[in-house]
Amino acid sequence: MWTRETILEILETICDPEVPVLSILDLGIVRDIQIISPQHLAITITPTYSGCPAMNTIAMSIRMEFMSRGVEQVDIHEILSPAWTTDWMSEHGKEKLRAYGIAPPQYQHKDVPAFGNEIVPCPICQSTHTEALSQFGSTSCKALYRCLDCLEPFDYFKCH
Ligand SMILES: [Zn+2]
């Protein structure tokens, strides 16, 4: 029998393909879980970025995980409003990003300074003496920064 907890345990193992260190629960995109019957679940998610191809991969991963455990039907509903923001990312998720060498979002969605004016601490040495190199890093959700103390370049998960 499925419970909300056992479903959450499985969702915790499904990662964002663009940032594999984060689970979809860390991202905060799972908005609702419904147990219609033991063979029929419905999961509601909000896409991180509109038209993000990663969403199809995530929906497919959710379906496959539950179907491999005997669920016959997994409905994935997408809700677009309210739109996802990096405010929904869990503290645990931000901690995982930092441990992975990616600076987590530093601001609330509403008060993000203009690009280049954000103070982004280096995830390696914690220095706030850093500079923005490029608005786009390895994926569009990240910017490329460099630490002026330890000289390491690093990705910053931009506020959104
Ligand atoms: Zn540093």
Side-chain angles (χ1 to χ4, degrees):
M1 265 311 264
W2 292 104
T3 63
R4 197 181 156 80
E5 284 65 38
T6 55
I7 291 170
L8 285 173
E9 272 171 33
I10 288 169
L11 294 176
E12 179 63 36
T13 68
I14 298 172
C15 295
D16 176 11
E18 288 198 357
V19 192
V21 68
L22 292 181
S23 78
I24 58 175
L25 295 184
D26 294 326
L27 278 170
I29 62 171
V30 176
R31 307 308 290 168
D32 192 37
I33 295 168
Q34 281 179 283
I35 304 164
I36 296 157
S37 80
Q39 276 77 45
H40 186 185
L41 306 177
I43 315 277
T44 303
I45 56 179
T46 293
T48 46
Y49 297 92
S50 53
C52 180
M55 277 302 134
N56 293 329
T57 313
I58 289 171
M60 200 187 300
S61 303
I62 294 174
R63 281 209 179 88
M64 281 168 50
E65 282 298 324
F66 288 103
M67 286 179 163
S68 74
R69 288 168 173 82
V71 179
E72 284 159 17
Q73 189 176 346
V74 185
D75 303 332
I76 310 287
H77 302 295
E78 284 192 11
I79 45 167
L80 301 173
S81 178
W84 180 83
T85 82
T86 42
D87 298 353
W88 295 5
M89 194 184 289
S90 70
E91 285 307 312
H92 182 58
K94 289 180 184 172
E95 204 43 60
K96 282 203 228 167
L97 279 180
R98 210 176 283 120
Y100 192 67
I102 300 173
Q106 295 294 316
Y107 296 90
Q108 292 289 299
H109 172 65
K110 287 195 301 291
D111 347 280
V112 186
F115 179 73
N117 294 334
E118 292 175 79
I119 297 166
V120 180
C122 170
I124 299 139
C125 73
Q126 278 73 52
S127 166
T128 51
H129 195 206
T130 61
E131 67 173 1
L133 294 180
S134 162
Q135 196 159 0
F136 297 101
S138 55
T139 61
S140 60
C141 62
K142 291 184 235 127
L144 187 61
Y145 273 68
R146 178 170 60 192
C147 177
L148 298 172
D149 283 326
C150 74
L151 303 177
E152 289 293 329
F154 62 90
D155 272 334
Y156 169 48
F157 199 114
K158 288 184 280 190
C159 300
H160 174 86

